Amino acid sequence: MNFIKKYSTQIIIHFLFWALFVFVSLFVLTKYYWAENPFLQYLFILIVIVYTNNIVLLPYFVRKRWYFIYTAVFLSIAFLATQLYCNVFTRCGCSFLKCLSDYLWQTIVPLTFFSFIWMLFRYIERTQEIETIKQERTALELKFLKSQINPHVLLNNLNTIYSFSLEKPDETPNLILKLADNLKHVLYESNSEKVPLSNEILFIDNYIEFQKLRTEGVKTINYTKSIEDTTNRIAPLLLITLIENTFKHSLLGSTITIDINVDNNYLTCICSNGYDPNKEISETSIGLENLKKRLDLLYKEKYELKIEREKLFKVKLTLNLL
């Protein structure tokens, strides 16, 4: 049953061709009646020739890439089969050229047709296999990229909680709750292709809250957001890379600006911070490189990422959420 289900289209094509081929041979291009026509006897030999070609010859010669040899074998089979039909079955007594002109088509047409069908479905199967491999590779690559993000974010949060448990123990329970929310997002939602935008924003809110506590009195954080519709969906842990880099590369005493805007299904995330222009900051650092890879995999031709270095280190991401 599985075989029939898998190859049902090919089976139908084969059946329809043979039905049409027999009809044309018996009622259109011949004067014989059913009982008298030697074509019906030759038909069984022809079927053996055709499927031997499809099952044995074609796969073998294509695998070896012996295309010219196969062409010679193909023509030889057609020629010999025609001579067999002409001289053994019909016994027409016609000349060599007349035999070829009258009967060659009955051999070469099914051979050519089913060879084409074999190559067509082989091409379709190969295309599907390649697409499946690409999808599996994409899934594995995304999983790997996200695995590089998650531990880093959570480690920073744990360090913050540890510091506050020593210095400000009264604020520790609230931080633990925020960390629990972030853990829930990472463990249960980050494996999804997309998550509600509201969940991702909550994750970012909690992360920035941790950063405000860690950098209190050292850095100034301006975090603004304007979100028209929180029902949009977004790839999980996508924006956190930009925000993390903003804190990572900012100078002590500098101002960090983070603005997230969602309008008409377009998300814009702008992160800027003061930086040391004498200190080289590679655009191909692990964080930004991973972000670009994820964007190419998930939002190909639907995003724009700009990086500027003037007075501030500024990164702008525009994303089509549809």
Side-chain angles (χ1 to χ4, degrees):
M1 292 298 293
N2 290 333
F3 176 86
I4 295 176
K5 183 178 180 180
K6 182 178 180 180
Y7 297 102
S8 58
T9 303
Q10 296 185 56
I11 292 172
I12 293 173
I13 291 174
H14 282 233
F15 176 80
L16 290 177
F17 175 86
W18 285 120
L20 179 62
F21 181 71
V22 170
F23 175 80
V24 171
S25 298
L26 291 176
F27 298 109
V28 178
L29 300 176
T30 183
K31 299 179 181 179
Y32 293 103
Y33 295 101
W34 279 78
E36 300 174 354
N37 198 319
F39 169 77
L40 292 176
Q41 304 168 34
Y42 174 69
L43 178 64
F44 296 102
I45 296 177
L46 183 59
I47 290 174
V48 172
I49 292 173
V50 166
Y51 289 106
T52 299
N53 175 63
N54 272 37
I55 298 172
V56 180
L57 299 180
L58 256 177
Y60 177 77
F61 284 104
V62 169
R63 185 172 63 252
K64 295 288 187 179
R65 297 186 178 182
W66 293 347
Y67 304 118
F68 289 107
I69 298 176
Y70 172 73
T71 302
V73 172
F74 179 91
L75 294 175
S76 298
I77 291 173
F79 170 77
L80 293 174
T82 301
Q83 292 302 310
L84 176 69
Y85 181 56
C86 185
N87 297 314
V88 177
F89 288 92
T90 64
R91 297 180 182 179
C92 62
C94 52
S95 66
F96 175 79
L97 292 177
K98 172 103 174 134
C99 179
L100 291 180
S101 64
D102 288 352
Y103 300 108
L104 180 62
W105 73 271
Q106 287 186 319
T107 304
I108 206 167
V109 167
L111 272 173
T112 303
F113 177 80
F114 286 114
S115 295
F116 171 77
I117 291 298
W118 183 89
M119 289 186 286
L120 175 63
F121 278 93
R122 183 174 181 271
Y123 171 77
I124 293 173
E125 288 176 359
R126 289 291 297 274
T127 303
Q128 291 173 342
E129 289 175 1
I130 292 172
E131 185 62 30
T132 300
I133 292 172
K134 285 183 178 179
Q135 291 175 355
E136 291 175 353
R137 180 181 177 184
T138 299
L140 288 173
E141 188 166 6
L142 286 174
K143 186 176 182 180
F144 172 72
L145 294 175
K146 288 191 291 185
S147 72
Q148 290 183 308
I149 298 172
N150 301 350
H152 186 61
V153 174
L154 296 177
L155 181 61
N156 286 341
N157 291 348
L158 285 171
N159 287 334
T160 302
I161 291 175
Y162 174 74
S163 299
F164 270 75
S165 67
L166 298 176
E167 300 174 6
K168 300 178 181 180
D170 293 342
E171 297 183 19
T172 302
N174 183 47
L175 292 180
I176 293 175
L177 287 176
K178 291 182 182 296
L179 179 60
D181 287 337
N182 282 10
L183 277 171
K184 178 183 177 181
H185 184 71
V186 170
L187 294 176
Y188 298 109
E189 296 182 345
S190 66
N191 289 327
S192 303
E193 183 178 347
K194 290 186 179 181
V195 297
L197 180 61
S198 57
N199 294 9
E200 190 71 10
I201 294 298
L202 177 61
F203 176 79
I204 292 172
D205 290 345
N206 289 342
Y207 174 82
I208 292 178
E209 187 64 30
F210 273 97
Q211 292 300 322
K212 285 181 178 180
L213 295 174
R214 291 184 64 200
T215 61
E216 187 177 4
V218 178
K219 298 179 182 180
T220 302
I221 300 174
N222 294 329
Y223 173 47
T224 57
K225 56 185 178 179
S226 176
I227 302 175
E228 183 183 80
D229 185 3
T230 58
T231 61
N232 283 297
R233 300 180 70 83
I234 189 173
L237 307 177
L238 195 66
L239 304 179
I240 195 64
T241 301
L242 295 179
I243 297 170
E244 270 197 309
N245 279 352
T246 300
F247 287 99
K248 180 179 179 181
H249 299 304
S250 60
L251 298 173
L252 295 178
S254 64
T255 298
I256 295 172
T257 302
I258 301 169
D259 179 65
I260 300 176
N261 179 68
V262 179
D263 183 23
N264 196 27
N265 299 314
Y266 277 85
L267 180 145
T268 303
C269 179
I270 303 175
C271 300
S272 63
N273 58 274
Y275 76 106
D276 184 358
N278 298 319
K279 182 179 179 182
E280 184 179 355
I281 303 175
S282 175
E283 291 180 7
T284 58
S285 61
I286 293 176
L288 289 178
E289 185 177 354
N290 286 351
L291 176 63
K292 289 177 182 178
K293 286 182 179 179
R294 291 193 69 199
L295 287 169
D296 286 335
L297 289 169
L298 296 172
Y299 293 96
K300 189 174 183 179
E301 299 180 355
K302 296 177 67 177
Y303 80 93
E304 184 179 19
L305 183 65
K306 293 183 178 180
I307 300 175
E308 300 176 3
R309 291 192 187 93
E310 294 179 358
K311 293 182 179 180
L312 298 174
F313 185 85
K314 183 177 179 182
V315 182
K316 179 180 180 181
L317 172 65
T318 303
L319 193 66
N320 183 356
L321 297 175
L322 293 181

